[in-house]
Amino acid sequence: MPTSGLVLTAERPEDLMPILAALAAEPAVECATPRGVRVPLVLETPDKQTDQRLWDWLRRLPGVANVDVAFIHLGTQGSVSPKLPEEFS
């Protein structure tokens, strides 16, 4: 089960609300509170194909300037906690 720690960067502050609405509608994504135009998030998917599909979707969201990787874990379910650190919740 792939788990990715990511930081999504919006092009402009006004792009954040539509981006956050799109992220909230995707059950595989857990977001933290934005910091300026950056949104820390965790992406947890059942397989590599779904993971790739969601990465492509994130990059194509209107207003997204960049998606940076903090970590990637390709282990089995339960071997890593997808929870965000408290400082980002």
Side-chain angles (χ1 to χ4, degrees):
M1 176 172 282
T3 302
S4 304
L6 309 172
V7 179
L8 182 147
T9 304
E11 291 176 0
R12 299 175 307 271
E14 57 268 22
D15 294 326
L16 279 175
M17 291 308 292
I19 290 171
L20 291 173
L23 295 174
E26 175 52 59
V29 176
E30 181 182 343
C31 296
T33 303
R35 307 277 194 221
V37 294
R38 303 175 110 202
V39 182
L41 56 96
V42 172
L43 179 65
E44 186 172 32
T45 56
D47 55 55
K48 291 180 184 178
Q49 293 78 19
T50 304
D51 192 63
Q52 184 62 56
R53 181 183 60 77
L54 285 174
W55 274 75
D56 293 342
W57 172 75
L58 285 171
R59 287 190 215 109
R60 287 192 315 266
L61 282 173
V64 171
N66 200 27
V67 179
D68 293 305
V69 177
F71 75 89
I72 303 260
H73 180 76
L74 300 175
T76 59
Q77 185 176 8
S79 62
V80 68
S81 172
K83 299 295 180 196
L84 291 164
E86 283 186 29
E87 66 215 42
F88 292 113
S89 337

